[in-house]
Amino acid sequence: MVKLGVAVVTFTTVLAMLPRPALGQARTAAELVGACSACHGEDGNSRLENVPSLAGQPEFFLLNQLVLMRDGVRTIPVMAALVRGLTDADIQTIASHFAAHDPRASSEPTDDALATRGRALAVTLRCGSCHLPSLEGRQQIPRLAKQRIDYLTRALKDYRDGTRAGADTLMNNAVAGLSDADLTALAHYATSPEP
């Protein structure tokens, strides 16, 4: 929890230092992407605990999530100031930028036994039917492959517990009744070198 607090303070400090255009003035692509890169990584591969990687996510997924956040449907307090006032063109610029980058696995250690267990669970749950067998995602379905383990574990728990605001309820149903250990195993499988 302390690390997340430090990340939020660091993020807020970086955000405050970024140049703000006057109302109605267009922001450059570099300014838009720079604001995101402070936490999500310059190339979209996050190095911060519990901060998702955006690199290689389907462009439509990124567009959709940014619109949901901007319009207050998906509430993420640390993102609120960043997405407020984004135009549709701004959102397109951000989504196109991060979708074009190659995802890289984080430096988190993957537990082979957990990944094996997660693979069996993913087959039983048919995760590949939406996320594709490679877990690379498509259209509005996110890429799970090479995502951060800590972020993915937390996201799965939030889906299971019904605490992910503005999320697709299909995922709530998909992970309903799974234990914390099951969700951790799924995260290790999804983020393993070859899911």
Side-chain angles (χ1 to χ4, degrees):
M1 189 64 161
V2 172
K3 288 183 182 179
L4 182 58
V6 170
V8 169
V9 170
T10 301
F11 170 75
T12 305
T13 302
V14 169
L15 181 61
M17 294 183 327
L18 292 173
R20 290 280 189 217
L23 188 60
Q25 182 181 357
R27 288 175 266 194
T28 67
E31 289 171 334
L32 291 166
V33 170
C36 303
S37 297
C39 292
H40 294 283
E42 204 170 297
D43 62 356
N45 288 291
S46 171
R47 289 161 189 79
L48 294 179
E49 185 178 336
N50 287 311
V51 174
S53 290
L54 305 179
Q57 287 289 359
E59 188 171 326
F60 185 72
F61 169 75
L62 293 171
L63 284 166
N64 191 36
Q65 294 304 303
L66 286 167
V67 168
L68 290 173
M69 285 183 250
R70 178 194 65 191
D71 295 350
V73 176
R74 183 159 183 229
T75 307
I76 303 172
V78 73
M79 289 292 298
L82 278 176
V83 297
R84 186 179 309 117
L86 287 179
T87 66
D88 290 346
D90 293 340
I91 288 173
Q92 180 65 62
T93 297
I94 294 165
S96 296
H97 172 82
F98 288 110
H101 281 78
D102 291 329
R104 290 194 320 264
S106 76
S107 59
E108 300 165 281
T110 303
D111 183 299
D112 292 338
L114 283 174
T116 299
R117 180 174 171 212
R119 177 185 300 273
L121 282 166
V123 168
T124 301
L125 297 169
R126 298 191 308 257
C127 299
S129 64
C130 291
H131 295 278
L132 299 179
S134 63
L135 302 182
E136 68 191 50
R138 60 184 164 153
Q139 299 169 2
Q140 79 276 15
I141 310 292
R143 174 189 52 75
L144 304 179
K146 299 183 181 177
Q147 186 54 269
R148 289 190 56 86
I149 294 169
D150 52 13
Y151 171 77
L152 194 51
T153 301
R154 189 187 74 203
L156 288 168
K157 288 177 183 177
D158 289 347
Y159 278 120
R160 180 200 58 200
D161 299 340
T163 57
R164 193 171 174 96
D168 186 340
T169 56
L170 289 175
M171 276 302 299
N172 297 70
N173 295 329
V175 296
L178 295 180
S179 68
D180 284 359
D182 290 338
L183 300 177
T184 300
L186 283 169
H188 277 260
Y189 163 61
T191 60
S192 62
E194 298 203 22

